[in-house]
Amino acid sequence: MIDSMKKLDSPVVEKAQTESVSSAFEALFLEHWARVYRLLCRLVGNPAEAEDLALEAFVRLYQRKPVSQDEFNVGGWLHRVATNLGLQSIRGWKRRERYELTAGKYALEEAGADGPAEIMIREEEQRLARLALANMNERQSQLLVMRYAGSSYKEIAETLKLAPTSIGPLLLRAEREFEKQYRALTQEERP
Amino acid sequence: MRKHLTDGELRAVLDGEFDSGGLRHLENCIDCQARQRQVRAESEKITHRLAFLASGDEPAPLPQKAWANFSQRILIKKETSMFKKWFAFPVVRFGTAALLILALILAFPGTRALAGELLNLFRIQQVAVVPVDFTGLEQLTGDGVLGNQFTDLISNSMNITQEPGDPTEAADAAEASQLAGFNVRLPQSATPSQIYVMDGAAFSLTVDRAKAQALLDEAGRGDLVLPESVDGADISVSIPASASAAYGTCPRPQADSSETEDTERRYPDCVILAQIPSPSVSAPADLDINQLAQIGLEFTGMSADEAANFTSTVDWTSTLVVPIPSNSANYEQVTVDGVAGTLIQRPSREGEPTTFELLWVRDGIIYAISGRGANSDQAVEMANSLP
């Protein structure tokens, strides 16, 4: 669930952007930081990369031109931008070795009681799932990330600017596309 | 009687996000129930695959620490934004981009110290091209560890004394000349679609030898040792106002250089004529910048002998050295506008269009004509038609 997806009046955002790293922006940063970081951590599977991408998402918010509409959904905007940054980062992985060096190390640290074989299988499945997400079109992958991170249809509709009644059909289509991508990757990598 | 539920509606039912009317239909419709079992099975498979996205309580870096890192990042971006803005301007974008500044800093050396003078002052009178391997330079300007280290080094040692401001549009050559402070020459046979003038900029750098050496070490070039004498040297760079005229359909000057690649593809008939009086660089007279230039060339992949040979053939006090990628560009000397110029052509590669740049210097003004396509003759014609 996207907690604190509240809307802020645009003057607050504008104020935050016109002052030099102002206290208004600091309050906004502190409010949203943990949520953005955690989303990215789960998405890319690497804490250091997640921290870097989360900071970049806030830099983009800071640099964003003042909004013209009456209200600006900061939480939703950050969620969308952070997800895109995460997916871009996944697309840049290219090589499996790098992924194993980064996400694999993190998985071992988080493994708990599982044995090495279980960790490897789970890690491989997650790697394929992340790549499948990154291979999809932006709206579909955003939709899946939001839904499986726990967002309600209402929150998804607000963030992605969709009609609430269209979420079910779009979600199903996105899931089917995801499965297609996942299977294609599995076939591709099968020896 | 309500119609059967669609698969999408059945998916929403699984999430408890469907209206009660639909649910009542589902309770009594065997067909919908059968399809719902199928949708559920599909959905459960995805739920398993994407379970790692589910919210958890992963420890996040402390917000205050993250805020400190964020503030530092903003500070660095602010200090480097002047360069981005400047690099985004056509006079720099199409020719040498960030490398022009590197060339100015690294390759504008002081071999002609006048006795008794504290500073060497250099001005460009000609252009020389040096083909280099760009791998090392790309590392410096990229987003990797080395790129960040380079950004930090520049940010910490640079003091911006004059910010360039935003480009100003001019109606004609006369207005552009007035705004830019020098005689802007435009061909009379063609009408530009845009004319812009960019304010001048100035900055000074104080060299931190330890950090610069650490950068070379990090890049795997610990064999290149910077002389002790560079430490603390103050180098000042003054970049005058420049003018740029666009012919054909061209992008407006971008403040954000990240959009450059895309816009270049979208404007295949754009030709830009840019002109700028020579930037000036001053450096301590006792600074052996010849040696620094040689290190810079070796960093780009030249052997020590090749770098020494090149360094000895160039009059560093008056030559703008333009590095071009050795494996993806070629160049030739041409006579244009009554002087010797250099025509650089980059053949089409990996989806990138063919491009050309014509550079020359006349009466202390650097000129550059850049465009897409293989027809570089139009650049030569344009240069020769300047009044």
Side-chain angles (χ1 to χ4, degrees):
Chain A
M1 166 101 101
I2 297 185
D3 50 357
S4 76
M5 220 170 112
K6 69 183 181 187
K7 295 177 177 177
L8 294 180
D9 290 341
S10 59
V12 174
V13 178
E14 288 179 24
K15 184 166 179 271
Q17 289 163 343
T18 49
E19 292 175 8
S20 89
V21 198
S22 68
S23 56
F25 194 87
E26 182 177 1
L28 201 144
F29 180 96
L30 297 177
E31 181 185 349
H32 292 275
W33 165 254
R35 185 176 58 80
V36 172
Y37 167 81
R38 288 189 178 118
L39 166 75
L40 281 161
C41 202
R42 294 192 298 269
L43 183 57
V44 300
N46 177 295
E49 194 173 357
E51 184 174 356
D52 185 57
L53 294 170
L55 287 172
E56 185 57 32
F58 281 100
V59 167
R60 294 198 182 182
L61 178 64
Y62 182 79
Q63 291 174 331
R64 191 177 185 277
K65 287 176 185 163
V67 288
S68 56
Q69 63 264 42
D70 292 339
E71 291 185 314
F72 175 54
N73 180 349
V74 175
W77 189 91
L78 276 170
H79 197 285
R80 213 170 58 239
V81 169
T83 302
N84 272 344
L85 287 170
L87 293 169
Q88 275 170 26
S89 174
I90 292 167
R91 281 183 211 113
W93 283 348
K94 303 280 187 205
R95 289 186 310 157
R96 181 175 176 162
E97 293 79 7
R98 184 180 161 202
Y99 176 85
E100 286 174 344
L101 280 172
T102 54
K105 183 171 170 288
Y106 176 58
L108 281 171
E109 289 166 2
E110 299 294 304
D114 286 349
E118 288 85 357
I119 297 169
M120 275 186 69
I121 291 167
R122 190 172 67 229
E123 193 52 28
E124 176 61 6
E125 287 173 351
Q126 289 185 5
R127 183 181 74 87
L128 291 174
R130 288 178 167 116
L131 288 172
L133 280 173
N135 285 346
M136 296 168 65
N137 76 44
E138 183 188 323
R139 192 174 71 173
Q140 287 189 325
S141 43
Q142 288 271 9
L143 192 62
L144 288 183
V145 171
M146 287 200 78
R147 179 60 198 149
Y148 284 91
S151 298
S152 69
Y153 281 23
K154 184 171 178 285
E155 289 168 337
I156 295 171
E158 281 177 6
T159 302
L160 301 183
K161 297 182 173 60
L162 297 168
T165 51
S166 69
I167 302 298
L170 290 173
L171 183 60
L172 184 67
R173 205 175 303 159
E175 287 174 337
R176 286 175 175 166
E177 177 60 22
F178 170 83
E179 186 63 14
K180 195 172 134 193
Q181 294 287 346
Y182 186 92
R183 283 178 183 276
L185 286 166
T186 313
Q187 298 283 329
E188 215 173 84
E189 304 208 352
R190 189 167 289 168
Chain B
M1 173 97 183
R2 197 188 195 286
K3 283 193 294 186
H4 289 307
L5 273 63
T6 64
D7 285 0
E9 288 169 334
L10 290 168
R11 178 66 187 83
V13 170
L14 289 179
D15 285 332
E17 299 259 8
F18 201 62
D19 64 72
S20 52
L23 290 176
R24 277 196 298 277
H25 171 85
L26 182 61
E27 281 170 12
N28 300 307
C29 177
I30 295 170
D31 177 60
C32 287
Q33 287 170 5
R35 283 190 298 112
Q36 197 198 24
R37 280 193 290 277
Q38 194 182 335
V39 170
R40 185 194 301 276
E42 287 180 58
S43 176
E44 282 175 353
K45 198 185 294 174
I46 309 296
T47 303
H48 171 74
R49 298 206 200 289
L50 295 178
F52 62 89
L53 290 174
S55 299
D57 291 323
E58 303 93 337
L62 288 175
Q64 292 300 345
K65 184 171 169 284
W67 173 251
N69 290 339
F70 169 80
S71 301
Q72 179 65 21
R73 190 174 285 204
I74 287 292
L75 193 65
I76 289 170
K77 280 191 187 271
K78 270 187 181 168
E79 288 180 353
T80 52
S81 68
M82 172 200 130
F83 284 101
K84 284 191 174 170
K85 195 182 280 184
W86 199 72
F87 292 152
F89 201 55
V91 72
V92 180
R93 263 175 67 193
F94 290 103
T96 53
L99 297 172
L100 180 57
I101 279 293
L102 283 176
L104 286 167
I105 294 168
L106 293 176
F108 240 67
T111 52
R112 288 187 185 172
L114 297 174
E117 284 193 357
L118 290 176
L119 295 176
N120 281 329
L121 189 64
F122 308 103
R123 288 186 186 278
I124 295 166
Q125 292 169 22
Q126 58 189 326
V127 173
V129 170
V130 55
V132 299
D133 178 354
F134 268 44
T135 314
L137 294 171
E138 281 168 358
Q139 278 182 301
L140 287 182
T141 53
D143 290 331
V145 174
L146 210 55
N148 290 336
Q149 211 173 329
F150 181 66
T151 304
D152 282 349
L153 177 63
I154 293 291
S155 163
N156 292 333
S157 57
M158 189 177 72
N159 177 31
I160 298 168
T161 48
Q162 184 190 350
E163 293 215 26
D166 292 320
T168 306
E169 191 157 9
D172 50 29
E175 190 182 353
S177 299
Q178 198 177 10
L179 287 167
F182 67 97
N183 180 32
V184 174
R185 299 162 70 211
L186 298 181
Q188 289 166 341
S189 54
T191 306
S193 52
Q194 306 166 38
I195 306 173
Y196 279 96
V197 173
M198 184 82 166
D199 281 348
F203 62 92
S204 60
L205 280 171
T206 304
V207 179
D208 185 329
R209 183 192 172 279
K211 285 185 179 169
Q213 185 64 52
L215 194 71
L216 288 172
D217 294 345
E218 176 73 34
R221 294 307 305 265
D223 57 312
L224 302 175
V225 180
L226 293 167
E228 295 290 343
S229 58
V230 302
D231 195 37
D234 287 319
I235 297 173
S236 299
V237 179
S238 175
I239 303 162
S242 59
S244 170
Y247 297 85
T249 310
C250 295
R252 301 181 83 77
Q254 296 287 335
D256 181 358
S257 58
S258 66
E259 293 178 25
T260 298
E261 279 187 27
D262 187 43
T263 51
E264 283 185 12
R265 285 198 192 94
R266 282 162 40 202
Y267 302 95
D269 70 332
C270 174
V271 173
I272 290 184
L273 162 63
Q275 42 204 296
I276 181 173
S278 167
S280 61
V281 180
S282 62
D286 60 349
L287 193 64
D288 187 356
I289 304 190
N290 239 9
Q291 190 181 0
L292 291 182
Q294 182 161 340
I295 289 172
L297 291 171
E298 284 188 57
F299 181 75
T300 67
M302 271 193 185
S303 70
D305 285 346
E306 286 171 334
N309 284 341
F310 185 84
T311 305
S312 66
T313 59
V314 170
D315 179 355
W316 294 99
T317 60
S318 61
T319 306
L320 170 63
V321 177
V322 180
I324 62 168
S326 53
N327 54 355
S328 61
N330 46 58
Y331 68 98
E332 61 180 307
Q333 298 297 320
V334 291
T335 300
V336 289
D337 199 17
V339 297
T342 304
L343 178 63
I344 303 166
Q345 299 192 73
R346 299 165 205 260
S348 174
R349 194 171 170 224
E350 294 175 0
E352 296 293 323
T354 301
T355 60
F356 59 82
E357 290 112 32
L358 176 61
L359 294 164
W360 76 100
V361 182
R362 180 174 153 164
D363 298 334
I365 310 283
I366 306 166
Y367 295 88
I369 297 178
S370 311
R372 318 279 163 275
N375 184 18
S376 55
D377 289 348
Q378 59 181 308
V380 176
E381 281 171 26
M382 184 181 276
N384 286 329
S385 70
L386 289 177

